[in-house]
Amino acid sequence: MPGILYVVATPIGNLEDVTLRALRTLREVSVIAAEDTRRTARLLQHYSISTRTTSLHEHNERSKTPSLVARMAAGESIALVSDAGTPVVSDPGMHLVAAAHAAGIRVVPIPGASAAVAALSSSGLAEHEFLFLGFPPNRTAARRRWLEKVADERRVLIIYEAPHRIQATLEDMLAVLGDRTVALGRELTKAHEELVVRPISTILQLPFQQRGEFTLVISGNRPNAVAAKAIPSAQSLSLEFGQLTSTGGASRRQGLKTLALKYDMSAREVFALLEAAKISGE
């Protein structure tokens, strides 16, 4: 009887974010196919799991898949894990999963942590639909063409980015997508996690650490938004808000609503710009 391929989600940072089912599965399988055996070893050691590991990464996945499928066909069960989060989602493992299906081997997902879902759920931008895009291209020209393809997309966008490219990617997003509201998550679930929800232009002015993996949740394109009306600067918006609430007699809530309607923005975006004006001392 053939074995089973378990696709096991592991923590994205905090080792406590692993399910009891995942731990049991990792103990019971014959071998764990890991993107980086050294990183997986930390999790296994923490929970006193002695199951053997073998590497399965983007450079050897195609060559190692046949032998792993053969082992499962012979009755062994294998757990597939990535460095962090859910395997195959912007991580290796697709070829092994597809080959297992083709060979008639049962594939069982063991759900758990996902940086994309964690960032989306805590962003305040979650709507009924979203589009996960993974990592953008490395080079500027290719990245801008990639962004242009989704510039008119109305769904929330979710992307991952490496620390050494985050600044350039944010600048390209501002140029191609406009000054959208973005939830920028860094080192999610870890001791020094950050989650900043601001317009892109404001985020670019903030002093944030360019270390650790980034997850970005980007508001979708709205019809007749921003392109038809230029987004005011934080300074001018703050002055206008002051006029409405001080001399105009409007409440803070009314002032936010008035400016949101005037500039076709959400009240959250208006509030973020007003907060940015406070931070910069304007």
Side-chain angles (χ1 to χ4, degrees):
M1 183 176 179
I4 298 173
L5 175 62
Y6 294 97
V7 183
V8 183
T10 55
I12 58 176
N14 192 316
L15 292 181
E16 294 180 354
D17 293 336
V18 63
T19 68
L20 295 175
R21 187 182 177 203
L23 293 175
R24 177 176 58 79
T25 301
L26 294 175
R27 286 192 178 97
E28 293 178 351
V29 294
S30 300
V31 67
I32 299 169
E35 182 180 2
D36 186 333
T37 56
R38 294 166 300 180
R39 292 191 62 170
T40 299
R42 299 172 196 162
L43 175 67
L44 301 182
Q45 290 168 5
H46 185 79
Y47 288 102
S48 301
I49 297 173
S50 58
T51 308
R52 291 180 298 112
T53 62
T54 185
S55 66
L56 187 79
H57 48 72
E58 61 179 331
H59 302 297
N60 71 358
E61 183 180 356
R62 290 180 182 274
S63 62
K64 291 194 72 169
T65 287
S67 63
L68 292 174
V69 170
R71 292 179 66 166
M72 289 186 286
E76 293 186 43
S77 288
I78 294 175
L80 169 67
V81 302
S82 59
D83 285 352
T86 303
V88 184
V89 181
S90 286
D91 280 323
M94 182 192 72
H95 296 293
L96 177 60
V97 172
H101 281 299
I105 293 167
R106 185 181 172 200
V107 178
V108 176
I110 309 294
S114 167
V117 174
L120 177 66
S121 65
S122 55
S123 68
L125 302 175
E127 298 180 5
H128 296 297
E129 295 181 295
F130 66 90
L131 181 61
F132 175 71
L133 299 172
F135 284 91
N138 296 345
R139 297 184 179 278
T140 299
R143 186 165 54 241
R144 290 201 172 198
R145 288 194 298 270
W146 184 80
L147 288 168
E148 286 168 357
K149 291 179 181 178
V150 294
D152 294 328
E153 178 60 60
R154 297 186 185 183
R155 289 173 290 182
V156 168
L157 308 175
I158 304 177
I159 69 173
Y160 292 153
E161 190 52 285
H164 61 284
R165 289 194 298 268
I166 186 64
Q167 184 81 17
T169 294
L170 285 168
E171 291 172 353
D172 289 342
M173 286 168 51
L174 181 60
V176 176
L177 303 180
D179 203 9
R180 306 228 191 139
T181 298
V182 169
L184 181 74
R186 184 184 75 86
E187 298 284 80
L188 294 177
T189 79
K190 298 181 182 179
H192 303 292
E193 73 174 1
E194 290 181 291
L195 182 64
V196 178
V197 184
R198 296 283 189 276
I200 299 172
S201 61
T202 304
I203 292 177
L204 283 168
Q205 298 171 21
L206 297 176
F208 59 90
Q209 292 286 335
Q210 293 184 21
R211 288 183 292 183
E213 295 296 328
F214 287 85
T215 304
L216 294 85
V217 180
I218 308 157
S219 59
N221 183 41
R222 297 194 306 276
N224 304 318
V226 199
K229 299 179 182 179
I231 292 180
S233 68
Q235 180 184 27
S236 63
L237 198 69
S238 180
L239 290 172
E240 195 169 354
F241 181 74
Q243 292 171 350
L244 285 170
T245 56
S246 297
T247 58
S251 68
R252 289 180 60 83
R253 179 174 293 183
Q254 290 171 334
L256 286 172
K257 185 176 181 180
T258 298
L259 293 175
L261 289 172
K262 178 178 179 180
Y263 294 107
D264 206 357
M265 300 166 67
S266 69
R268 181 176 56 246
E269 290 171 329
V270 173
F271 180 78
L273 282 173
L274 294 175
E275 288 298 300
K278 290 181 182 178
I279 293 171
S280 61
E282 297 174 346

